[in-house]
Amino acid sequence: MVSKLLLRKLHQNTSSLRRLSTATAAAALPTYGSGEEISMKGVKISGRPLYLDMQATCPVDPRVLDAMLPYYLSRFGNPHSRTHLYGWESDLAVEKAREQVASLINASPKEIIFTSGATESNNISIKGLMHFYRDKKKHVITTQTEHKCVLDSSRHLQQEAFDVTYLPVESDGLVNLDKLRDAIRADTGLVSVMAVNNEIGVVQPVEEIGRICKEKGVFFHTDAAQALGKVPIDVEKMNISLMSLSGHKVYGPKGVGALYMRRRPRVRVEPQMNGGGQERGIRSGTVPTPLVVGFGAACELAAKEMEYDEKRIKGLQERLLNGIRAKLDGVVVNGSVEKRYPGNLNLSFAYVEGESLLMGLKEVAVSSGSACTSASLEPSYVLRALGVEEDMAHTSIRFGIGRFTTEEEIDRAVELTVHQVEKLREMSPLYEMVKEGIDLKSIQWAQH
Amino acid sequence: MAAGVAGGPTKAEVLSLFRSLLRTSRGFADYNIREYAKRRTKDGFRHNKNLSDTSSISSAFSDAKSQLEIAKRQVVVYSLYAPKVKSVMEIKQS
């Protein structure tokens, strides 16, 4: 066991090295005080914020890190090297990881292609599949609440003279199955509906959609990045043809994902990455062994821990929602309350401005909307598709609960949120008018 | 709890493993991982408390033993890279 003295010495050396390193954009970097506080973007906080943004990314589970480290240290071989031990042991590890990923979704390991993430898998599924079948199939169906990469790939296809139907969703975020059935045409090549939405957490009826696609003979792609390891997925039962998986949403490393491609009946795609023909020619490029091993370990863990985590996260979600609702009114849950993954809670607070709420919640790491869209100021397109009014869409906050979240963190988050919302509402003249009983929609604002 | 007749662990061994896991878990520098490790150990042992046949007890025991090895290694790794500023949850509120 490494002694405390050695650890302290190592710590001192690394921290002095950090001070010596030249940082170019010094103004933007956070300054860490002498173990007391962090100052960043003009805000001072006393410690690292508590993390409630599990949909953006999850911390790597220590058991996953333990599985990955040997492949960064001594077993660093390229899995495609056929002539020596380094290649063989690396290849063995990749194949084991493939097995682990496949067993989580009830697929065969031959149907798993490792990619750099769910975004790349989505690109291959949508553009790759439609390009392959472009002679006979010209139509794609997707929803308005899909992830940006799916929507952007579809837009790219539109520019190539494909037809794309963006199905609207109901006000609870779920797809209307009759509208889907009616939208399928003779030349429809692909239906793409995500399993669990990353912004609002609703779980789509994947099994029913799979059944509709099977009877109509259309390929069914689902983006299961948020669903993997959290809700049970069975590609046979749900009749899925293509599925995108992401590593860093299941407590694995960032930079790895997978694509499930059905073999019976065979699904074929045009590769988006050309090269040495790795991964059955679908995705050329050296397979990153440590990342893939981490992904496999994370999937195996997820299979073991799914029940335990789900029960716990459901309890924490109820604690969070009840805690906030007990002290505040005007709290709206965005998306269906029943058909939702418990770890994702998207709330809108009436009469409060979103940016100022987030600024005041600096000790809690949450996000409004999704990580992809929080940089822009426009309200989330997902909430707009739900029919949420613009002022409520602006004040939405997404709480992400995960395996490592504690009850104390939930209680602190409730306390901080309630405090901040009350503070902002007290300052708000609109809220004063509402308390006096004036209906805000009936006000005729004078023009200046 | 079955006594170790044909190769199964004794009650004392199980308890000793439980205490070792808890003691090791307390060493994690990261607040969330530390709390998770403690909680998961307690819940894991509680869940398996009523196992009766030797083979499942043995496999649960060896599983926990390998988890202990993993935990010991990772406590070291996490402490090597522990951030100087702790989580907000660990700072006493004035």
Side-chain angles (χ1 to χ4, degrees):
Chain A
M1 212 38 200
V2 183
S3 70
K4 279 213 173 79
L5 187 63
L6 182 55
L7 280 175
R8 218 180 314 138
K9 268 249 160 278
L10 270 164
H11 220 146
Q12 282 169 0
N13 286 340
T14 48
S15 56
S16 56
L17 277 170
R18 238 183 281 149
R19 260 180 260 130
L20 287 172
S21 72
T22 46
T24 44
L29 284 176
T31 53
Y32 299 95
S34 50
E36 272 167 33
E37 58 175 26
I38 310 177
S39 165
M40 186 153 152
K41 301 206 183 209
V43 182
K44 278 196 176 50
I45 35 176
S46 53
R48 296 184 69 79
L50 60 98
Y51 192 75
L52 281 183
D53 198 13
M54 293 292 173
Q55 279 71 39
T57 186
C58 303
V60 174
D61 194 299
R63 294 164 281 192
V64 166
L65 185 64
D66 193 72
M68 284 168 65
L69 279 173
Y71 296 92
Y72 278 125
L73 301 174
S74 54
R75 304 190 195 167
F76 53 81
N78 183 324
H80 313 294
S81 301
R82 295 200 172 283
T83 55
H84 48 69
L85 174 72
Y86 292 94
W88 302 331
E89 67 187 359
S90 209
D91 187 47
L92 216 67
V94 168
E95 292 313 310
K96 175 162 175 233
R98 211 186 291 275
E99 194 45 81
Q100 288 167 321
V101 176
S103 64
L104 182 57
I105 54 176
N106 190 24
S108 145
K110 296 192 188 155
E111 298 171 314
I112 303 287
I113 312 280
F114 286 116
T115 61
S116 69
T119 299
E120 185 182 345
S121 304
N122 280 333
N123 271 264
I124 300 176
S125 307
I126 299 184
K127 294 193 297 202
L129 183 111
M130 291 312 289
H131 285 165
F132 190 87
Y133 292 104
R134 73 164 86 225
D135 301 325
K136 302 223 186 72
K137 306 286 182 182
K138 286 267 168 199
H139 183 221
V140 175
I141 299 178
T142 181
T143 67
Q144 290 176 356
T145 53
E146 291 296 304
H147 193 264
K148 270 266 158 90
C149 53
V150 170
L151 294 178
D152 206 53
S153 304
S154 308
R155 210 164 301 134
H156 182 99
L157 284 181
Q158 270 182 305
Q159 286 171 348
E160 294 180 340
F162 283 89
D163 276 330
V164 179
T165 302
Y166 299 94
L167 283 178
V169 292
E170 311 289 298
S171 61
D172 60 356
L174 296 169
V175 160
N176 184 317
L177 294 169
D178 298 313
K179 287 204 187 124
L180 171 64
R181 205 177 276 121
D182 295 335
I184 298 182
R185 312 192 310 221
D187 65 342
T188 301
L190 182 68
V191 168
S192 175
V193 180
M194 71 197 318
V196 173
N197 189 291
N198 55 323
E199 278 197 47
I200 48 183
V202 295
V203 181
Q204 300 287 356
V206 177
E207 229 180 290
E208 282 82 17
I209 299 177
R211 204 175 311 132
I212 295 176
C213 290
K214 187 167 184 175
E215 71 180 58
K216 299 263 183 159
V218 181
F219 290 124
F220 176 34
H221 164 253
T222 177
D223 177 357
Q226 296 286 343
L228 184 69
K230 305 198 173 122
V231 296
I233 300 179
D234 184 333
V235 292
E236 294 304 320
K237 218 163 49 143
M238 298 173 174
N239 192 50
I240 297 173
S241 317
L242 291 148
M243 185 156 70
S244 308
L245 309 170
S246 172
H248 68 113
K249 307 280 166 48
V250 285
Y251 308 93
K254 294 185 206 9
V256 69
L259 173 65
Y260 159 77
M261 261 176 57
R262 179 178 283 279
R263 295 188 94 209
R264 296 223 168 90
R266 184 170 286 255
V267 179
R268 309 194 59 184
V269 297
E270 213 179 70
Q272 304 286 301
M273 292 277 288
N274 302 106
Q278 287 85 5
E279 295 296 288
R280 298 175 186 276
I282 309 286
R283 204 274 181 187
S284 299
T286 303
V287 172
T289 314
L291 295 179
V292 156
V293 163
F295 187 22
C299 287
E300 189 172 6
L301 258 183
K304 276 198 231 142
E305 305 274 334
M306 207 188 302
E307 204 187 310
Y308 175 82
D309 282 343
E310 200 201 320
K311 208 165 58 160
R312 188 182 150 69
I313 291 175
K314 194 150 192 4
L316 287 176
Q317 186 214 34
E318 278 166 13
R319 194 182 178 119
L320 178 62
L321 191 54
N322 296 339
I324 291 185
R325 279 227 163 111
K327 307 254 182 67
L328 293 176
D329 59 341
V331 175
V332 176
V333 177
N334 294 314
S336 158
V337 183
E338 305 83 32
K339 293 264 170 43
R340 101 186 343 254
Y341 166 59
N344 182 327
L345 190 60
N346 191 310
L347 300 177
S348 281
F349 300 93
Y351 323 116
V352 167
E353 208 280 307
E355 286 296 314
S356 30
L357 179 53
L358 277 183
M359 279 310 296
L361 282 180
K362 276 301 160 224
E363 291 194 337
V364 184
V366 284
S367 92
S368 72
S370 74
C372 329
T373 56
S374 357
S376 69
L377 286 175
E378 53 172 85
S380 142
Y381 63 92
V382 173
L383 292 179
R384 229 180 315 133
L386 289 185
V388 174
E389 308 234 341
E390 213 171 300
D391 56 342
M392 291 295 268
H394 268 296
T395 98
S396 71
I397 296 214
R398 179 187 68 186
F399 293 94
I401 305 171
R403 185 185 286 169
F404 300 110
T405 314
T406 63
E407 282 86 353
E408 291 82 18
E409 284 184 319
I410 296 285
D411 293 339
R412 179 80 72 90
V414 166
E415 191 187 308
L416 289 168
T417 311
V418 164
H419 173 81
Q420 188 65 12
V421 169
E422 281 178 342
K423 199 169 85 168
L424 286 172
R425 279 186 176 166
E426 214 163 313
M427 290 196 280
S428 158
L430 282 179
Y431 190 57
E432 266 181 53
M433 289 201 267
V434 166
K435 279 206 292 194
E436 287 169 13
I438 303 175
D439 175 23
L440 290 182
K441 301 222 195 304
S442 65
I443 299 176
Q444 299 278 27
W445 298 104
Q447 309 238 359
H448 287 275
Chain B
M1 201 87 70
V5 177
T10 63
K11 179 170 175 176
E13 284 176 342
V14 171
L15 280 176
S16 155
L17 181 60
F18 178 62
R19 277 194 292 261
S20 305
L21 262 168
L22 276 187
R23 197 173 30 235
T24 309
S25 304
R26 263 180 252 138
F28 273 108
D30 180 292
Y31 164 78
N32 291 91
I33 309 285
R34 184 172 63 236
E35 294 301 310
Y36 175 77
K38 289 195 292 189
R39 190 186 342 124
R40 190 70 187 87
T41 309
K42 289 188 210 147
D43 288 344
F45 274 78
R46 192 177 305 138
H47 184 255
N48 287 330
K49 154 170 92 163
N50 293 319
L51 287 179
S52 50
D53 62 306
T54 328
S55 66
S56 55
I57 296 181
S58 294
S59 72
F61 184 78
S62 56
D63 183 48
K65 241 168 139 208
S66 56
Q67 298 292 312
L68 176 62
E69 296 306 308
I70 297 177
K72 280 187 177 155
R73 287 193 292 263
Q74 291 306 309
V75 165
V76 175
V77 173
Y78 274 79
S79 52
L80 288 173
Y81 291 94
K84 270 193 140 170
V85 186
K86 301 222 176 280
S87 160
V88 140
M89 300 300 295
E90 297 179 287
I91 299 181
K92 305 238 184 309
Q93 293 211 294
S94 49

